[in-house]
């Protein structure tokens, strides 16, 4: 395992953890979800990286600019810059393992960004875990969650120099990010990926929800339901065995 | 200022991933930050990363790292306890002491404060505790019942509100989390039994740690959210179980993890003020 910073095209440094050998046949870029969801998802992504390492594959788990330990101001970040960050991660992988195939695995917004960039990054394998289909719905859910928590616990509205909708539980949402998230709609504008993607729904339902099934159909891919708590939303640790089993049988063993 | 990604081993040989924030000048003090039970070295809403960057601008050297079984570090999540985390914290103290002779402080967030309590050494210059819970609380029926009672009253009041029903029906309320809060569950309490079994504390851990904490005489700061339900009980516990009175700051209206930009800002400002006072007292 190596922990390091690697550069973006505009001279920021992104934090990354490399697991596995540099001579691996396939290297995975692991794309975390949005901001606070990254905190809860980080361990699951590490466990996926460890599983890959056991199989002789390598991975780079990184943080987008303005999140985790990566440089940059979250308030100035936007989806365009995060797509550039994915490119920087791919470049770092190519520097370390020039002959390896690139595989992308993303969770939530990380999955969405991975899909948007998969074709241009030359990814041979693409795994999307609960991809975010609509940025507008995501923002509405975040706002509702905050209001409901305040209502249930009696906490005050945090005072801020910014509009309450710009303070996403301690994350300052910049105008660029807000605009790009609001217009992000994979159901309306389906990106193209010339190979089959592996799509996982994670939650209490054993059947894939119609919107995700429709999305998978549009990608000419199959979606699979994994019954386990939505780990990116949890405060406590949750056993990711069902997801790891699904990844092994559907992707890693294939 | 420079930020260095690093890996260092704990006493069990597991690799811990961290970031060292190195100030431009000789540091006034060094600080090891300890994250919460199921968190990472960055903290909720990146609070520990942001704090480290700010404090480093004020010339403090900072080490943040993931405990074994957490974040990017090696180790088994299920086997982590306050005792394994205490060992990790001590490895971090040793790493930091090898970088600088500056006086060493420890900063904990939520359960990270329990690790701070368990890890204090005479040579530590002080402790900063953000949202410190009661140390190594047991899942006793008495505690659970008390918490259940208080939560039930609170949530029953909310559930009488028709708009809450509408939100539950629309799937906007995480009813699982609410049920958990009502049941008084969650957190690390079940891991605090002393049994010598893997994933639980070794026998005698709590008393040994408490004895050291009670004898610890260095200055300490405690910050709590005014709307955090743990605040009254935790403040009482620390008043009764500490060898020295803490400086206490309450952030009005704030929740447990200070989920708001202004609350986070207030926590940082109060901490920097206290660090200034701490340094002036050392220089006397």
């Amino acid at each position: 395992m190596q922990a390091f910073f690697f550069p973006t095209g505009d001279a920021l440094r992104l934090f990354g953890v490399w697991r596995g050998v540099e001579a691996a046949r396939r290297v995975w870029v692991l794309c975390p979800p949005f901001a606070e969801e990254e905190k809860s998802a980080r361990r699951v992504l590490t466990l996926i990286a460890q599983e890959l390492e056991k199989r002789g594959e390598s991975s780079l788990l990184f943080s987008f600019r303005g999140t985790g330990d990566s440089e940059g101001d979250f308030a100035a970040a936007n989806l365009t810059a995060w797509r550039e960050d994915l490119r920087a991660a791919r470049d770092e992988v190519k520097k370390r393992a020039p002959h390896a195939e690139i595989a992308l695995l993303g969770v939530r917004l990380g999955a969405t960004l991975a899909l948007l960039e998969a074709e241009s990054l030359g990814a041979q394998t693409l795994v999307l875990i609960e991809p975010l289909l609509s940025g507008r719905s995501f923002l509405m859910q975040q706002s509702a969650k905050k209001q409901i928590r305040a209502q249930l616990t009696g906490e005050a509205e945090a005072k801020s120099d910014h509009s309450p909708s710009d303070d996403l539980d301690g994350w300052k949402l910049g105008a660029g990010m807000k605009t790009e998230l609001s217009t992000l709609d994979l159901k309306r504008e389906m990106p193209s990926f010339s190979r089959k993607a592996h799509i996982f729904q994670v939650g209490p339902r054993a059947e894939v929800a119609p919107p995700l099934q429709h999305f998978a159909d549009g990608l000419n891919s199959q979606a699979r339901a994994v019954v386990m708590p939505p780990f990116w939303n949890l405060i406590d640790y949750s056993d990711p065995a069902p997801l790891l089993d699904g990844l092994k049988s559907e992707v890693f063993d294939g | 200022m420079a930020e260095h990604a690093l890996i260092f081993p704990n006493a069990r040989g597991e690799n811990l991933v961290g970031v060292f924030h190195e100030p431009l000048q000789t540091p006034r003090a060094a600080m090891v930050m300890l994250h919460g039970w199921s968190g990472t070295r960055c903290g909720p809403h990146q609070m520990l990363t942001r704090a480290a960057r700010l404090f480093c601008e004020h010339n403090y050297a900072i080490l943040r790292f993931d405990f074994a079984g957490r974040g990017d570090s090696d180790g088994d999540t299920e086997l982590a306890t306050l005792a394994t985390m205490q060992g990790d914290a001590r490895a971090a103290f040793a790493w930091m002491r090898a970088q600088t002779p500056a006086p060493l402080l420890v900063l904990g967030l939520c359960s990270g404060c329990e690790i701070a309590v368990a890890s204090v050494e005479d040579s530590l210059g002080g402790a900063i505790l953000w949202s410190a819970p009661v140390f190594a609380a047991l899942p006793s029926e008495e505690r659970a019942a008390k918490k259940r009672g208080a939560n039930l009253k609170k949530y029953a009041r909310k559930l009488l509100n028709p708009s809450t029903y509408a939100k539950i029906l629309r799937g906007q309320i995480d009813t699982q989390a609410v049920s958990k809060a009502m049941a008084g569950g969650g957190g690390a309490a079940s891991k605090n039994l002393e049994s010598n079994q893997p994933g639980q504390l070794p026998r005698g851990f709590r008393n040994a740690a408490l004895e050291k904490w009670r004898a610890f005489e260095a200055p300490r700061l405690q910050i709590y959210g005014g709307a955090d339900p743990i605040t009254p009980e935790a403040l009482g516990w620390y008043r009764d179980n500490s060898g020295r009175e803490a400086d206490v700051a309450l952030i009005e209206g704030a929740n447990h993890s200070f989920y708001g930009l202004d609350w986070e800002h207030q926590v940082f400002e109060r901490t920097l003020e206290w660090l200034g006072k701490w340094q002036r007292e050392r220089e006397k």
Side-chain angles (χ1 to χ4, degrees):
Chain A
M1 174 170 58
Q2 299 170 53
F4 53 88
F5 288 97
F6 61 93
T8 63
D10 53 349
L12 286 177
R13 297 188 319 152
L14 305 182
F15 185 91
V17 173
W18 177 281
R19 284 180 184 270
V21 294
E22 294 189 346
R25 183 183 61 82
R26 179 162 69 172
V27 180
W28 293 76
V29 177
L30 306 179
C31 312
F34 183 83
E36 192 63 1
E37 290 185 353
E38 179 180 9
K39 179 180 73 91
S40 302
R42 192 79 186 181
R43 191 65 192 162
V44 175
L45 286 166
T46 294
L47 292 171
I48 291 170
Q50 288 175 337
E51 175 61 33
L52 289 166
E53 190 175 16
K54 272 190 237 163
R55 293 165 173 266
E57 300 194 35
S58 299
S59 65
L60 172 64
L61 170 56
F62 76 106
S63 294
F64 292 104
R65 69 182 60 198
T67 69
D69 282 319
S70 289
E71 290 182 352
D73 179 3
F74 182 79
N78 54 51
L79 299 186
T80 305
W82 282 4
R83 288 171 72 169
E84 286 299 321
D85 291 350
L86 250 177
R87 217 162 262 285
R90 189 277 313 264
D91 292 348
E92 183 63 24
V93 166
K94 280 290 173 195
K95 196 175 91 185
R96 289 167 177 264
H99 306 297
E101 275 182 16
I102 298 281
L104 297 176
L105 180 151
V107 178
R108 303 274 289 154
L109 184 61
T112 305
L113 296 173
L115 170 61
L116 290 169
E117 287 299 312
E119 197 70 33
S120 68
L121 295 183
Q124 308 284 301
T125 312
L126 178 62
V127 175
L128 309 175
I129 299 170
E130 195 74 26
L132 205 62
L133 303 183
S134 160
R136 185 179 292 276
S137 300
F138 173 71
L139 286 175
M140 283 167 62
Q141 282 165 8
Q142 296 301 309
S143 174
K145 201 165 81 176
K146 185 172 147 183
Q147 285 173 21
I148 291 161
R149 197 194 55 229
Q151 197 181 68
L152 287 171
T153 60
E155 73 198 41
E157 177 80 58
K159 282 181 279 176
S160 176
D161 295 338
H162 313 279
S163 143
S165 65
D166 295 341
D167 183 349
L168 215 59
D169 277 348
W171 294 91
K172 188 171 159 188
L173 200 61
M177 181 68 88
K178 205 170 174 178
T179 304
E180 287 191 326
L181 270 175
S182 299
T183 54
L184 175 70
D185 187 350
L186 295 188
K187 287 179 280 187
R188 210 176 49 202
E189 293 173 49
M190 178 70 77
S192 64
F193 182 59
S194 51
R195 293 165 181 270
K196 280 196 175 166
H198 304 273
I199 301 167
F200 291 85
Q201 170 187 290
V202 176
R205 291 183 184 174
E207 305 82 32
V208 176
L212 191 69
Q213 188 58 61
H214 182 67
F215 167 75
D217 292 344
L219 269 180
N220 194 26
S221 301
Q222 284 206 320
R224 173 188 169 144
V226 173
V227 179
M228 65 175 274
F231 57 88
W232 56 87
N233 249 344
L234 300 178
I235 294 171
D236 284 341
Y237 172 74
S238 157
D239 181 6
L243 176 61
L244 288 173
D245 289 345
L247 286 168
K248 285 179 208 170
S249 61
E250 295 279 322
V251 189
F252 301 160
D253 290 341
Chain B
M1 286 194 318
E3 291 177 20
H4 309 277
L6 61 103
I7 293 175
F8 63 97
N10 62 16
R12 300 182 302 281
E14 295 160 327
N15 284 320
L16 308 183
V17 175
V19 172
F20 176 49
H21 300 253
E22 184 182 23
L24 285 175
Q25 297 167 343
T26 306
R28 299 163 193 254
M31 186 187 293
V32 171
M33 290 185 172
L34 307 176
H35 68 72
W37 181 253
S38 52
T40 72
R41 62 185 183 273
C42 302
H45 50 98
Q46 212 192 12
M47 186 180 194
L48 295 178
T49 305
R50 295 175 193 169
R53 288 174 177 164
L54 177 67
F55 298 168
C56 191
E57 279 175 20
H58 287 78
N59 217 17
Y60 294 90
I62 314 285
L63 171 63
R64 296 176 293 111
F65 70 99
D66 290 328
F67 289 111
R70 304 290 189 262
D72 293 330
S73 290
D74 284 344
D76 189 324
T77 305
E78 297 286 354
L79 296 183
T81 64
L82 292 180
T84 65
M85 290 174 168
Q86 175 198 54
D88 297 345
R90 287 187 172 150
F93 294 165
W95 188 92
M96 188 58 123
R97 286 200 174 99
Q99 314 306 310
T100 171
L104 183 60
L105 295 154
V106 63
L107 183 151
L109 171 60
C110 189
S111 286
C113 300
E114 296 181 84
I115 320 302
V117 167
S119 312
V120 289
E121 301 166 354
D122 292 343
S123 55
L124 279 182
I128 298 165
L129 309 178
W130 293 346
S131 298
V134 169
F135 175 72
L138 285 167
S140 70
E141 273 308 302
E142 190 184 16
R143 174 180 298 278
K146 193 175 165 190
K147 196 170 176 182
R148 257 199 309 273
N151 283 330
L152 274 171
K153 254 189 240 170
K154 188 168 68 185
Y155 288 114
R157 200 173 62 236
K158 300 292 181 191
L159 286 171
L160 292 174
N161 182 343
S163 68
T164 308
Y165 272 122
K167 283 166 182 166
I168 289 172
L169 289 172
R170 287 200 301 269
Q172 291 179 351
I173 287 182
D174 182 355
T175 46
Q176 198 188 12
V178 173
S179 311
K180 202 169 182 181
M182 289 170 77
S190 61
K191 310 274 286 182
N192 288 339
L193 297 169
E194 295 185 353
S195 70
N196 287 342
Q197 295 298 310
Q200 294 195 325
L201 295 174
R203 293 194 195 283
F205 175 86
R206 183 180 290 97
N207 282 344
L210 271 178
E211 199 176 315
K212 287 199 92 171
W213 172 251
R214 287 177 184 134
F216 181 61
E217 290 180 339
R220 75 278 322 259
L221 167 68
Q222 286 183 255
I223 299 183
Y224 285 98
D228 181 354
I230 75 160
T231 299
E233 186 188 11
L235 274 174
W237 186 90
Y238 280 91
R239 209 170 28 242
D240 296 343
N241 289 281
S242 301
R244 173 180 173 150
E245 199 177 337
D247 292 315
V248 175
L250 281 183
I251 307 299
E252 193 187 342
N255 52 33
H256 183 67
S257 295
F258 309 105
Y259 277 120
L261 290 163
D262 183 63
W263 294 332
E264 179 187 89
H265 175 74
Q266 288 186 56
V267 171
F268 294 172
E269 288 299 307
R270 297 287 181 92
T271 304
L272 279 172
E273 283 168 20
W274 183 86
L275 284 167
K277 179 181 148 196
W278 171 84
Q279 191 166 18
R280 286 191 296 278
E281 283 177 5
R282 277 182 78 87
E283 287 166 358
K284 273 181 193 169

